[in-house]
Amino acid sequence: MRMSELQFPPRPTALAQDLLRPLIAAGDLVIDATAGNGHDTLFLAECVGATGRVLAFDVQAAALAAAGKLLGDAGFSDRVSFFQESHGNMEAHAAVESVNVIMFNLGYLPGEDHALTTEMSETLVALEAATSLLKSGGVLSVVCYPGHPAGAIEADAVERWLSAKTAGGWRVAKYGAVGTRRPAPYLLVGWKR
Ligand SMILES: C[S@@+](CC[C@H](N)C(=O)[O-])C[C@H]1O[C@@H](n2cnc3c(N)ncnc32)[C@H](O)[C@@H]1O
């Protein structure tokens, strides 16, 4: 294949799925912390199979309706529990150290109310919750959008929060385009040891 036929650099959302796919096994418990239109929820439901479970969170009814339809059309409704709740509440729905993978895709839902965006302080609460829910060996992915002022502040806070996890033995990586006119979205990945 030629580079001209590829999406390059890869979109961070696609890269997150490519990195996580081989790490998720049938029967796993996983979380989509920002369900939105359900693209990551669908990806996770495919990965965990009929014996696995996906917990999916969003604060917007419109998002959960769209995601629910997508999963229903795919025949995966019985693998997913949707919660119209903040991801900051995820600890109420899973046991400590029971979750294999947790995905966050920050920002707002394209086409919907841009005011309903993820918010730095709540994102950090949710990341702490995610830390306690992840198994040892589990993986956290976060797609960040530094292209607008609030997104840049949130992205920077998340990157600093995740970088600090290396002191506790986590391995952390950052992937994204450089040299763009506006700061490009990027993917952070953390492996809990
Ligand atoms: C970029 S969109 C997610 C896109 C989604 N992953 C997809 O594939 O369509 C971010 C989502 O986060 C949701 N959100 C904002 N604050 C939230 C919170 N505190 N808890 C859970 N979801 C939240 C928004 O409603 C929005 O749907």
Side-chain angles (χ1 to χ4, degrees), residues 32-41 57-60 63 85-88 105-110 116-119 122 145:
D32 184 351
T34 50
N37 287 324
H39 301 293
D40 288 330
T41 319
F57 294 83
D58 206 292
V59 286
Q60 282 193 71
E85 281 180 43
S86 173
H87 39 218
N105 183 9
L106 304 180
Y108 52 78
L109 198 57
L116 282 169
T117 185
T118 54
E119 198 262 315
E122 186 67 2
Y145 296 87

Side-chain angles (χ1 to χ4, degrees), residues 27-30 41-42 44-56 67-83:
D28 280 357
L29 174 62
V30 299
T41 319
L42 177 62
L44 291 168
E46 283 166 353
C47 291
V48 300
T51 56
R53 187 111 218 113
V54 185
L55 311 184
K69 176 165 183 348
L70 189 70
L71 274 287
D73 290 349
F76 293 155
S77 296
D78 54 349
R79 309 179 184 183
V80 183
S81 300
F82 287 105
F83 300 98

Side-chain angles (χ1 to χ4, degrees), residues 152-174:
I153 292 168
E154 182 181 38
D156 189 53
V158 172
E159 187 174 335
R160 276 186 284 111
W161 177 88
L162 194 56
S163 303
K165 289 281 170 208
T166 56
W170 285 46
R171 297 222 186 137
V172 173
K174 176 180 177 179

Side-chain angles (χ1 to χ4, degrees), residues 133-192:
L133 294 187
L134 275 179
K135 289 180 176 174
S136 171
V139 179
L140 174 69
S141 71
V142 188
V143 177
C144 300
Y145 296 87
H148 62 99
I153 292 168
E154 182 181 38
D156 189 53
V158 172
E159 187 174 335
R160 276 186 284 111
W161 177 88
L162 194 56
S163 303
K165 289 281 170 208
T166 56
W170 285 46
R171 297 222 186 137
V172 173
K174 176 180 177 179
Y175 305 91
V178 293
T180 50
R181 246 183 307 129
R182 285 201 309 165
Y186 59 84
L187 169 66
L188 296 168
V189 182
W191 178 28
K192 179 179 174 180

